[in-house]
Structure formats: C-alpha cells, structure tokens
C-alpha cells in the first residue's frame, strides 16, 4: 500500500513538473517581452507629451480651458494626423492648427520622427483608447480600384474637399484643407479621427478597402493629373469652367457681331 502511494505521488510530481515546464517554454517569454517593449514606448511617449503637449492639454490629458481640448479617447490615429502634418504642437495657444512642416522630432520622413510619433500615440492611446493607426504604410494604403474610390470620394468628400482635393470654405470660418500634400497615412488617419469639421469614417462607415480606394483616387487626380476635359483651370471644377466658357464665348460673340456690323 505504501509503495503504491509513493508511486502515485511521484507520478503526480512528475506531471506537475512537466506541465510547469511546458507553460514556461510556451507562454511567459513572448508576453513579457511585448509588455516591456510597450511600457518603454509609453514611457517615451510620456516624456514627449510632457515636453510638447502638456501646457495646452494638461497633465492628465483632460485639456485646459481656453488652451486645448481633452485627448482622452482620441486614439493614436488623431495624434499621427495632427502631429505629422505640423498642426500640433501649436506655436501659440491662440493659433489654429494649420498644416505646416512638422517639428523635426516628429517628422514622419525620418526614422526618429516615426518612432516619436508612435511613442506619443501609444501614450495617448493608453489613456482611453480610440482609433488606431493602420498597420500598413505607404503603398500598402493605396487601393487598386481608382474608379470605385472616385465614386466614394464624390459621395463622401467632394462636397468639402472639392472634386480633386483642392479644399474649400465652410461656415463659421472653418475650412477643409487641400489634399495635395497629404500622404496616404495622413489621409487614412484623418478619415479615422475626423479632424476639425470632418466627420469620422470608421470601418462601419467606410471599410479599410474603401478608404484605400479613396486614397488611390486622390493620388490619381491631384496635381492636375488625369484631366479628361482638357485644361483643368486650376482644378476648380465645373463652376470655373462654365465661367471661362461664358466669358470667352461672350467675347467671341461680340467680336463676330462687330465684324458683321462693319461688313454691312
């Protein structure tokens, strides 16, 4: 009886050791590495936030009266769009966020700038979540169906950004910016975050594939490319074309009438 109990105990101990060893080999190491990397990135983002953003958005990201809105829940997509386009940080708290060259430490054209953008976004993402930047970058964000992208753009974007992304004017001093300098990442994150008066186009409103097709359309037509009607007249659309046609036609009609009168 005693020998049987000892054998069972040894089998139980061996099974527990084998189970613990398998768990240690398969689970803890990758999770621990990812956690350490994430915490280091968030800490770097905290330092960047304290240096560039805290004066307007507050120590707890809740915002400050007459200085800056809350950043809780905006997500790292909003961070990437606002900071990579130079709209943030503002030179003065009274300024509006116009597109300009980004701060050198947040320049998406440099490796360090991209790393700082990711760190700052991770820090703000850790406070309330929100829309996240896509895993794809550059050409991976450009769709393959330009015609479909044009249909979606005219339905959802052209009323503000004009037919080829030239921008326009809205009420109360608001304006949709020109898209000629926007990168695929900036256009995608703008659709996700909805800056200024722009609505948010989440994946329920526009699928990732549809967003990419819209980006493909904007890249295909901006810079007066793909103008099937001849002269684009500054890409300002049918209103300008109609005005020019009217003015030129009127001059020609007056000239013809004067010539007929002189002949008779």
């Amino acid at each position: 009886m005693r020998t049987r109990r000892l054998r069972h105990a040894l089998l139980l101990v061996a099974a527990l050791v084998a189970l613990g060893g398998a768990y240690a080999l398969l689970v803890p190491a990758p999770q621990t590495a990812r956690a350490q990397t994430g915490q280091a990135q968030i800490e770097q983002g905290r330092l960047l936030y304290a240096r560039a953003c805290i004066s307007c958005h507050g120590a707890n990201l809740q915002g400050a009266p007459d200085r800056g809105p809350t950043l809780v829940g905006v997500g790292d997509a909003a961070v990437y769009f606002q900071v990579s386009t130079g709209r943030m940080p503002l030179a003065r708290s009274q300024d509006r966020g116009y597109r300009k060259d980004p701060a050198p430490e947040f320049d998406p054209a440099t490796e360090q700038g991209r790393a700082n953008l990711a760190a700052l976004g991770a820090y703000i993402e850790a406070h309330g979540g929100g829309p996240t930047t896509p895993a794809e970058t550059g050409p991976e964000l450009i769709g393959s169906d330009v015609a479909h992208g044009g249909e979606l753009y005219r339905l959802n974007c052209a009323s503000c950004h004009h037919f080829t992304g030239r921008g326009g004017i809205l009420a109360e001093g608001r304006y949709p910016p020109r898209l000629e300098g926007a990168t695929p990442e900036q256009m995608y994150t703008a659709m996700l975050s909805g800056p200024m008066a722009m609505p948010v186009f989440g994946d329920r409103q526009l699928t990732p594939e549809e967003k990419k097709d819209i980006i493909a359309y904007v890249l295909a037509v901006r810079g007066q490319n793909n103008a099937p009607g001849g002269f684009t007249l500054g890409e300002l659309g049918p209103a300008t074309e109609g005005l020019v046609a009217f003015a030129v036609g009127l001059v020609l009609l007056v000239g013809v009438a004067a010539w007929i009168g002189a002949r008779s």
Side-chain angles (χ1 to χ4, degrees):
M1 180 67 70
R2 182 177 298 176
T3 303
R4 182 183 301 173
R5 289 180 178 177
L6 180 60
R7 185 169 61 249
H8 290 169
L10 291 175
L11 289 174
L12 179 61
V13 171
L16 291 175
V17 170
L19 180 63
Y23 181 84
L25 289 173
L26 298 176
V27 177
Q31 289 186 348
T32 302
R34 283 196 295 268
Q36 291 174 348
T37 301
Q39 288 301 320
Q41 187 182 51
I42 290 174
E43 176 61 20
Q44 180 189 359
R46 185 188 68 80
L47 297 175
L48 292 167
Y49 178 88
R51 184 165 67 248
C53 316
I54 196 171
S55 61
C56 291
H57 297 288
N60 56 3
L61 282 73
Q62 294 286 347
D66 300 324
R67 295 181 69 85
T70 178
L71 298 182
V72 176
V74 301
D76 69 337
V79 175
Y80 185 91
F81 173 79
Q82 296 288 353
V83 180
S84 72
T85 60
R87 289 173 168 84
M88 298 291 160
L90 295 174
R92 299 179 304 170
S93 61
Q94 296 85 0
D95 292 341
R96 298 187 63 178
Y98 298 104
R99 183 183 181 96
K100 59 183 182 297
D101 292 336
E105 61 181 336
F106 295 116
D107 188 350
T110 66
E111 183 177 354
Q112 184 61 48
R114 291 190 295 271
N116 287 339
L117 285 168
L120 182 61
Y123 174 71
I124 293 178
E125 180 75 23
H127 293 76
T132 60
T133 56
E136 303 94 331
T137 59
E140 297 173 337
L141 292 175
I142 303 174
S144 58
D145 195 339
V146 175
H148 184 224
E151 294 176 0
L152 294 170
Y153 180 90
R154 288 186 289 273
L155 180 63
N156 296 284
C157 317
S159 59
C160 294
H161 290 286
H162 216 277
F163 300 100
T164 56
R166 297 285 291 183
I169 299 175
L170 300 176
E172 299 178 357
R174 297 177 296 179
Y175 74 99
R178 298 171 65 168
L179 303 180
E180 61 182 359
T183 65
E185 292 89 345
Q186 290 165 353
M187 286 187 275
Y188 199 103
T189 52
M191 286 186 272
L192 287 176
S193 59
M196 295 181 66
M198 180 174 171
V200 174
F201 293 101
D203 289 345
R204 292 186 177 182
Q205 289 76 34
L206 291 172
T207 66
E209 291 72 22
E210 289 175 332
K211 293 185 182 71
K212 294 176 184 178
D213 286 342
I214 289 176
I215 293 171
Y217 169 78
V218 173
L219 295 178
V221 298
R222 73 183 183 186
Q224 301 195 25
N225 295 321
N226 294 330
F231 294 110
T232 59
L233 301 176
E235 301 177 86
L236 296 178
T240 303
E241 294 168 2
L243 177 61
V244 171
F246 173 78
V248 173
L250 182 62
V251 170
L252 289 176
L253 289 175
V254 171
V256 170
W259 178 78
I260 294 175
R263 294 279 295 181
S264 61

